Amino acid sequence: MRLSHDEEENNLSLSKFESMLKTNKVFFFDSEEFEDIILHYMDTGRMNLAKKALKLSLEQHPKSTGLRLVQVEMLIYEDRLEVAQKLLNDLYAIEPTNEEIYIQQANIYSKKDQHEKAIESLKTALEYTDDFIDVYSMIGMEYLFMDNLEKAKEFFIKCLDEDTMDYSALYNVIYCFDFLDQNNEAIAYLEKFIDNNPYSEVAWHQLGRQFYALRNYEKAVWAFDYATIIDENFLGAYLEKAKGLEKLKKYKEAIECYNITMELDDPTSFALLRIGKCHEKLNQKDLAIKFYLRTVHEDPLLDKAWIAITDFYIRQKNFQKAIYYVNKAIAIDGDNSLYWKRFAAINQGMQFYEEAELGYRKAFEAGDINLDTFVLWTNMLQELGEYENAIEILLQATEVFPEEYEIEYRLAGLYYLISDTKKGNFHLNNGLRLNFRNHTMIEEIFPIMWKKKRVQNIIEKYRE
């Protein structure tokens, strides 16, 4: 690849400077060369070299405003804001129309979280600069810091008005639309943008993402297709297109797209997993399990892959293989609540209620506080005759779900099972008050309670 003239000049300057440091000889550089050298080292995080270059540069060019501004930038980077401010004030007295002074002043304000003052300073810089794009972008970022997404969007759009190839600005515009839940407005903007820039693969890709968010998968695939036609190596567009094709149940075409991504780059666990899912949808079970196993080989910590394998065997009613793979997953990550929940479901399916209860308990201990976890856990305790423990767990659940009829009906039934009629009646009334329509669940879960006359009498009071 051929370097541009500026890149070649910069590389020569860097080589010359580093040679000087090694030999302890002193070479002359003009002030602009020094600026490029210092900024290069700052951009690459080599601050010691940047400081050495700055020291030498100021010895050779003590009156250079450009180098003093680079010094200000370094001071701001190091959070030495008061020193930077003093130096900036001195520079303002010398060159009040230098736009870089206002830009660095804005950086100081921004560091102090004085974003409105930063914006005012940047607007002043606009009066003196020829490089509007960078300043518009900085103003947009300040509005982002203030959570003023509408104003941020306005200035990022100004960047694109100046340069339609400024993809950083385009991504920022779409970020603002997304954050504001303005998918339709984003589509309108992107369609207008594409009318003027029909070969912008990034715009087509972003348009597809907006259609996908609105669940218009036909349009999404159409837009992603254009992105891939413009850029045949656009990996992200192929992935998104494949996801859209899956939603449209076009599994063979989705597999083709995922395969293209693996030709463009190394196979990812995401693509392998999705190919497995597509093969399973096509009832190609051997291929499905092959890709699921490749996925866990590629990324052994990907819980979705282990769950896919486990669920695959659950659907086949092959509980022995399901438990084998979920145990392998638990051995890798014993704190994953999703694994423990599958472990519980498999054992429940095999009527191993003690093991199932252990699984739901472990899922809870790993942070799973979903309603169905509490319900399934207490169902297992009920099967084991551990009514008091089931009640204790459901009472904990009421702290998370204080107005949940399923919990109240279960508490009522369990209290009846331990002959605590008073508390049973209390929770039965709560359940009926919260959701009378589903009161018949009592008959299924607690048939003995359902037949009691006093229970039917309470239920009758709530009939309209």
Side-chain angles (χ1 to χ4, degrees), residues 188-381:
Y189 175 78
L190 286 165
E191 287 178 337
K192 184 178 176 183
F193 184 88
I194 287 168
D195 283 344
N196 296 317
N197 307 277
Y199 299 106
S200 172
E201 73 276 16
V202 173
W204 280 107
H205 178 240
Q206 292 300 313
L207 181 63
R209 287 183 63 252
Q210 296 305 314
F211 282 126
Y212 191 95
L214 294 174
R215 300 183 181 181
N216 187 340
Y217 302 121
E218 290 277 5
K219 279 274 196 178
V221 168
W222 166 77
F224 294 135
D225 204 31
Y226 269 101
T228 60
I229 290 169
I230 296 165
D231 181 357
E232 293 180 353
N233 297 312
F234 198 157
L235 183 67
Y238 282 112
L239 276 174
E240 301 273 10
K241 180 182 172 183
K243 285 164 60 181
L245 289 165
E246 273 195 79
K247 292 291 186 182
L248 294 169
K249 300 183 179 181
K250 296 180 178 180
Y251 302 116
K252 288 183 180 178
E253 292 176 52
I255 290 169
E256 289 174 11
C257 272
Y258 285 127
N259 280 329
I260 291 171
T261 70
M262 294 194 294
E263 291 168 8
L264 293 173
D265 201 355
D266 292 335
T268 64
S269 55
F270 175 81
L272 292 167
L273 177 62
R274 296 317 310 173
I275 291 172
K277 294 272 188 185
C278 289
H279 281 304
E280 190 171 1
K281 293 287 186 182
L282 292 167
N283 205 31
Q284 298 168 338
K285 294 173 186 175
D286 289 344
L287 284 170
I289 197 63
K290 174 187 170 185
F291 277 93
Y292 291 151
L293 292 171
R294 279 186 66 187
T295 305
V296 294
H297 178 76
E298 182 73 26
D299 185 358
L301 296 179
L302 183 65
D303 57 8
K304 289 180 180 178
W306 289 107
I307 288 165
I309 295 172
T310 304
D311 288 349
F312 175 84
Y313 284 118
I314 290 173
R315 284 189 285 272
Q316 309 303 315
K317 306 290 185 189
N318 190 337
F319 294 120
Q320 292 303 319
K321 281 205 170 183
I323 202 71
Y324 170 78
Y325 280 104
V326 84
N327 278 328
K328 284 194 71 167
I330 288 168
I332 293 168
D333 182 4
D335 295 323
N336 190 313
S337 64
L338 295 172
Y339 296 162
W340 282 112
K341 207 162 179 177
R342 292 304 193 286
F343 174 89
I346 296 161
N347 280 292
Q348 185 177 340
M350 294 189 289
Q351 298 185 331
F352 297 159
Y353 299 127
E354 288 187 9
E355 290 82 355
E357 187 276 326
L358 169 68
Y360 291 124
R361 175 158 37 95
K362 288 282 193 180
F364 170 75
E365 290 170 358
D368 185 343
I369 54 170
N370 290 305
L371 177 61
D372 70 321
T373 302
F374 285 115
V375 168
L376 292 165
W377 185 10
T378 51
N379 283 353
M380 293 305 95
L381 288 167

Side-chain angles (χ1 to χ4, degrees), residues 138 140 276 423:
M138 291 178 74
K423 287 183 179 177

